[in-house]
Amino acid sequence: MATDAPEAASESERDDESAPDAYETLLEEYRRVANVRNASGILSWDQQVMMPDAGTPARSQQLSTLSSLSHDLLTDDAVGDALDELEATELRDEQAAVVREIRREYDRAVAVPSELVEEISTTASEALPAWKEAKAEDDFEAFAPYLQKHVELKREYAEHIDPDRDAYEVLFEDFEPCLSLERAESILETLRETLVPMIEEVRESEAELATDAFTSLGEYPAGEQEDLCRDVLSTLGYPWDRGRLDTAPHPFSSGTTFDARVTTRFDETDPLGSLTSTIHEFGHATYTLGLPDEHYASPLGEDRDLSVHESQSRLWENHVGRSQAFWEGFLPTFAEHFPKASEVTPREAYEAANQVYEDNLIRVEADELTYHLHIIIRFEIERALIAGDIDVDEVPEVWNDKYEQYLGVRPDTDSEGCLQDIHWSHGNFGYFPTYSLGSAMAAQLYAAAEDDIDDLEAEITARDFDALHEWLTENVHRHGARYETNELVERATGSAFTAEAFVDYVTEKYGALYDLDSV
């Protein structure tokens, strides 16, 4: 049950005359930082979606310059002086939250030389096309030098911030600053202890699911899949005047509360892949769009962190898009686009959307159970890389060994192995755990929404998502970064953040699907 919370401060409250001069200075300086970052985000979106292949040299310099500029603006003396002055100033709660968030960013940024920030950005811009080509050509050796450079730069980055702590812990805080790595590891361990035996039990189950309900019907042209994805976005409530749908090698969403864009990709043998991917990215976009317009370019108008962001994408993808209620309402639209699926029943569609794969190698195509083993593998490898426990040239073999150990499958190529994800081309070490943290959080938030919304399942079947949008906006989106992660979850659900709701959710759902004895 969501707890009562004070209304988010209005623009007039934020800018009223009672605000200390130093606070107004701090906000003005931070707006410049945020706007440079948002401009960089548009250039990054363009690089992945629209930019011609030969544009990399110029784009690399552009992004590097903007990265350095935003760093210089954030570490400017005016920001530090305002923060220092506000340390002893009595502030309203929302003002104190803004100061807390900017102080955290400032303290980290001021420890890192601008030249290093620029070099990290340049490396990421150059690594992206190298990763794309290496993946297409199944050539890890071509990408390895960029990965090695990223590892070295991020070790140096972490050392500047805090030389006395585990470098990976420091990097993790770039993506989840409010939950400790120890807490994250504890949740991942709970997922491992729950899911490994459950997956084994699923694989031993004699239950027969309609896993080929769609794939047995032939191919699904990409153009028609795109039309279907546009329809599902409209059905879920995506505002097209504030966004767009495109394709990308690795689906993602980016933008601001005024412009949040979605990408997807298509496999003509599997229409569920693009559909669930689109719903996932819609979840990210609807969080971004739900942030308060009046606080754009301030921490009150920015997402809390990636764990919360992933909770929104995983909630819409799994708790909505993979539910039987969703398929009861949306299957007729699917059949309009693909009449050959007109005989598929909602139950069959639900079973196909929730099958547990025995041989899947690709994280973004994984089911809800094995997905987290994909995450744990990446977490273990990148942590070992940063610690120096393994070398870059060992990554393919270590990756393949872990897939065999955890999932019982071994990639035949690096393209379907260690080259499948875009994250390491960006140097984003510490990002992967937030996917599993977000899944656990999504289950807890959705359970609370079910308690608060009368017959949410019936509303989903009726294709009416207004109440869910309103609940998420009220309890998560509108707060921006006002509350730290655990407080945000506790205010929304009445309980501290744990993996308990996720364990209950998958135990009940997959126990029923696969007739498991443990249920």
Side-chain angles (χ1 to χ4, degrees):
M1 177 78 64
T3 57
D4 291 334
E7 292 296 319
S10 67
E11 185 173 13
S12 61
E13 286 178 316
R14 183 191 69 193
D15 293 329
D16 66 18
E17 293 181 0
S18 66
D21 290 344
Y23 181 76
E24 292 302 328
T25 297
L26 183 65
L27 274 182
E28 186 58 37
E29 294 295 327
Y30 189 80
R31 288 188 194 108
R32 296 177 183 176
V33 176
N35 280 313
V36 170
R37 288 174 176 169
N38 290 335
S40 180
I42 289 294
L43 288 181
S44 180
W45 172 88
D46 177 76
Q47 183 178 19
Q48 296 180 64
V49 176
M50 304 290 290
M51 190 189 79
D53 292 341
T56 299
R59 185 55 44 86
S60 174
Q61 292 184 47
Q62 293 157 4
L63 288 171
S64 177
T65 298
L66 289 177
S67 180
S68 178
L69 176 59
S70 67
H71 179 268
D72 291 346
L73 289 170
L74 179 59
T75 58
D76 189 83
D77 288 345
V79 176
D81 291 345
L83 287 168
D84 290 343
E85 183 176 338
L86 291 167
E87 286 290 329
T89 304
E90 186 174 347
L91 300 169
R92 297 195 308 271
D93 288 348
E94 68 274 7
Q95 294 172 337
V98 167
V99 172
R100 178 197 68 221
E101 293 301 312
I102 298 177
R103 166 62 77 181
R104 179 189 290 121
E105 287 194 52
Y106 173 84
D107 285 347
R108 288 172 73 86
V110 78
V112 181
S114 182
E115 295 79 12
L116 177 58
V117 172
E118 197 165 343
E119 188 174 6
I120 289 171
S121 177
T122 298
T123 301
S125 296
E126 294 172 350
L128 178 61
W131 166 76
K132 288 181 181 178
E133 185 174 352
K135 182 180 179 183
E137 300 296 328
D138 185 30
D139 185 4
F140 177 79
E141 290 185 2
F143 177 63
Y146 298 93
L147 180 57
Q148 180 65 46
K149 184 75 173 293
H150 267 315
V151 169
E152 293 169 358
L153 291 173
K154 285 308 180 83
R155 285 174 182 159
E156 183 181 351
Y157 169 86
E159 185 172 359
H160 278 291
I161 292 172
D162 193 336
D164 298 324
R165 283 200 295 148
D166 176 358
Y168 187 81
E169 181 180 357
V170 175
L171 297 177
F172 172 71
E173 290 170 350
D174 276 346
F175 306 103
E176 175 46 80
C178 305
L179 297 176
S180 68
L181 183 59
E182 182 180 6
R183 181 88 176 276
E185 288 181 296
S186 175
I187 290 174
L188 288 175
E189 183 59 28
T190 298
L191 299 188
R192 189 206 315 261
E193 291 174 353
T194 300
L195 296 175
V196 169
M198 185 180 295
I199 292 166
E200 184 62 30
E201 198 174 352
V202 164
R203 289 176 173 174
E204 293 174 356
S205 170
E206 296 181 0
E208 295 184 5
L209 275 63
T211 56
D212 63 348
F214 295 113
T215 55
S216 64
L217 300 177
E219 294 196 344
Y220 298 79
E224 194 62 38
Q225 284 194 53
E226 182 174 348
D227 291 341
L228 176 67
C229 289
R230 291 182 182 279
D231 266 359
V232 78
L233 287 172
S234 295
T235 298
L236 295 174
Y238 186 59
W240 290 100
D241 61 334
R242 291 196 180 203
R244 54 182 289 138
L245 173 68
D246 294 277
T247 59
H250 192 100
F252 70 101
S253 172
S254 68
T256 70
T257 185
F258 299 103
D259 174 7
R261 306 177 184 191
V262 171
T263 65
T264 192
R265 66 184 183 190
F266 306 107
D267 176 351
E268 295 195 337
T269 68
D270 177 22
L272 294 185
S274 62
L275 189 67
T276 56
S277 171
T278 301
I279 296 173
H280 178 98
E281 300 305 335
F282 164 81
H284 281 302
T286 198
Y287 179 22
T288 302
L289 293 165
L291 296 167
D293 290 0
E294 66 270 20
H295 293 304
Y296 167 74
S298 93
L300 296 179
E302 295 177 339
D303 62 89
R304 167 57 281 165
D305 50 48
L306 275 175
S307 297
V308 178
H309 231 308
E310 291 301 336
S311 79
Q312 301 307 283
S313 59
R314 300 294 283 174
L315 186 151
W316 282 98
E317 176 192 354
N318 294 329
H319 295 268
V320 176
R322 295 185 193 271
S323 69
Q324 184 158 332
F326 172 80
W327 282 103
E328 287 173 355
F330 192 72
L331 188 57
T333 299
F334 188 102
E336 286 177 10
H337 288 275
F338 299 107
K340 59 189 173 187
S342 59
E343 298 300 315
V344 175
T345 68
R347 178 66 188 186
E348 290 170 336
Y350 171 67
E351 291 179 357
N354 290 284
Q355 62 181 297
V356 177
Y357 296 100
E358 293 190 9
D359 58 357
N360 176 55
L361 293 163
I362 309 301
R363 176 185 63 84
V364 297
E365 298 172 4
D367 55 83
E368 283 186 275
L369 302 189
T370 60
Y371 180 89
H372 300 284
L373 300 186
H374 290 261
I375 296 302
I376 289 169
I377 289 168
R378 287 154 175 76
F379 168 67
E380 291 180 352
I381 291 174
E382 65 180 19
R383 189 165 191 187
L385 265 177
I386 295 299
D389 295 335
I390 62 172
D391 296 328
V392 165
D393 59 8
E394 296 178 274
V395 166
E397 184 178 0
V398 172
W399 180 288
N400 295 346
D401 289 346
K402 286 185 178 291
Y403 262 77
E404 195 161 22
Q405 176 188 352
Y406 285 118
L407 290 162
V409 293
R410 191 174 186 88
D412 291 327
T413 69
D414 291 334
S415 295
E416 62 183 9
C418 61
L419 286 172
Q420 66 181 263
D421 293 306
I422 197 173
H423 302 64
W424 290 344
S425 74
H426 293 317
N428 286 343
F429 306 110
Y431 188 129
F432 281 117
T434 66
Y435 286 114
S436 289
L437 294 173
S439 294
M441 195 180 298
Q444 188 167 337
L445 290 169
Y446 192 80
E450 282 188 304
D451 287 342
D452 287 351
I453 300 171
D454 291 337
D455 207 346
L456 177 56
E457 187 173 300
E459 295 204 10
I460 291 173
T461 298
R463 300 160 60 117
D464 183 353
F465 300 97
D466 289 349
L468 183 56
H469 274 294
E470 290 169 5
W471 191 95
L472 291 169
T473 299
E474 174 68 18
N475 291 287
V476 180
H477 306 168
R478 75 182 181 96
H479 299 300
R482 178 174 181 174
Y483 303 115
E484 294 197 330
T485 307
N486 194 65
E487 184 178 0
L488 180 68
V489 174
E490 190 161 2
R491 282 176 170 272
T493 69
S495 301
F497 173 43
T498 70
E500 183 178 345
F502 176 83
V503 171
D504 291 345
Y505 160 69
V506 295
T507 300
E508 179 180 354
K509 177 178 180 177
Y510 288 91
L513 272 167
Y514 282 92
D515 299 325
L516 303 184
D517 294 335
S518 58
V519 177

